[in-house]
């Protein structure tokens, strides 16, 4: 066979092979693009369905949100009279908050809540003496003492906090620190008290000690108790600081918070010079009712609270 014919045949065969290869590659490329487009669409749909699109989460964080929460913690009263021992006590309740995300990293919040708490206090032993005037204008020395005093106080508070939060975003979590103040109004507050009390009057001019005359208001180791009676107290303003974390969700955000309340003002405005001063003007001891131990000295309120809630 002629060599020119063979060469021509080989060239044509190689060209036909190249043409088939190009057609096959173009077909594979088209299929690859279709698969890639399908994966992209599926991924976008998955992100939309899951609710974890990062831009969407950030946008939600900047909007107004409402929070419902429960809280619990330990609080205590501090008393300047060392004879009065007030044990730390649990506090629990719940409330609602309204949050305004000014920018991505800053938020204002306010709201309202209720809390319940019970305080247990006691006075193991106490005594005091001070100059006094009787109902006839004569001067004498008032002598009082008490042993085994137990007092239970119950409070229901309405609380109105206002605070500012600063945020740092770590992945899908928002970490925050906060500072603010809480205005507390006593909705209901009561106390009960029992113990042994002494109230004597010593007239130095006559070297006379009035004792064991309960109908005139003088007695020694006299058992007395106070049934559940309202406490008279004013509102409390408590500064606080806290930290917490917000977890993202599709329609809501779970959050955890720890808050410490610094000592605030003394809400007990009616004060006595001494504990358990006894009856005035020779009234019967049986009719006399002691005020709370909180009505003497200075007291302050502080404590710790944990908060669990959901943002919508």
């Amino acid at each position: 066979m002629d060599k020119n014919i063979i060469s021509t045949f080989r060239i044509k065969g190689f060209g036909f092979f190249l043409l088939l290869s190009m057609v096959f590659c173009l077909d594979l490329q088209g299929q690859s693009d279709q698969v890639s487009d399908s994966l992209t669409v599926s991924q976008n749909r998955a992100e939309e369905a899951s609710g974890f699109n990062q831009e969407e989460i950030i946008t939600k964080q900047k909007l107004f949100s409402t929070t419902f929460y429960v809280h619990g913690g330990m609080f205590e009263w501090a008393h300047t009279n060392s004879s009065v021992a007030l044990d730390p006590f649990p506090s629990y309740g719940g409330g609602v908050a309204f949050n305004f995300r000014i920018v991505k990293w800053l938020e204002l919040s306010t709201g309202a809540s209720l809390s319940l708490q019970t305080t247990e206090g006691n006075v193991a032993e106490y005594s005091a003496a001070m100059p006094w005037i009787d109902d006839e204008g004569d001067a004498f020395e008032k002598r009082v003492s008490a042993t085994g005093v137990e007092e239970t106080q119950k409070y229901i508070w309405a609380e109105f906090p206002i605070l500012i939060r600063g945020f740092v975003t770590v992945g899908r979590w928002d970490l925050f620190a906060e500072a603010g103040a809480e205005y507390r109004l006593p909705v209901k507050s009561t106390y009960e008290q029992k113990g042994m009390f002494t109230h004597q009057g010593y007239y130095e001019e006559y070297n006379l000690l009035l004792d064991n005359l309960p109908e005139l208001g003088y007695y020694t180791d006299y058992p007395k108790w106070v049934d559940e009676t309202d406490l008279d107290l004013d509102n409390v303003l408590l500064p606080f600081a806290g930290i917490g974390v917000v977890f993202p969700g599709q329609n809501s955000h779970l959050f955890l918070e720890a808050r410490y309340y610094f000592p605030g003002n003394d809400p007990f405005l009616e004060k006595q010079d001494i504990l358990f001063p006894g009856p005035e003007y020779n009234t019967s001891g049986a009719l006399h009712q002691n005020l709370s131990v909180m009505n003497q000295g200075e007291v302050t309120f502080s404590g710790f609270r944990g908060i669990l809630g959901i943002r919508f």
Side-chain angles (χ1 to χ4, degrees), residues 201-216:
Y202 177 67
Y203 290 80
E204 184 177 10
E205 182 180 359
Y206 308 107
N207 191 26
L208 174 65
L209 179 66
L210 296 182
D211 190 12
N212 296 322
L213 296 169
E215 67 279 3
L216 296 179

Side-chain angles (χ1 to χ4, degrees), residues 19 53 55 62 71 74 111 113 123 126-127 180 197 219 234 241-242 257 281 302:
L19 180 61
N53 183 282
E55 292 182 1
K62 292 181 180 178
H71 57 72
M74 292 294 292
S113 68
V123 178
Y126 172 80
S127 62
F197 302 91
Y219 43 80
D234 199 6
E257 181 181 339
Y281 307 118
S302 62

Side-chain angles (χ1 to χ4, degrees), residues 51-63:
F52 287 125
N53 183 282
Q54 190 67 21
E55 292 182 1
E56 183 181 353
I57 290 173
I58 293 174
T59 301
K60 286 184 178 179
Q61 290 172 344
K62 292 181 180 178
L63 301 178

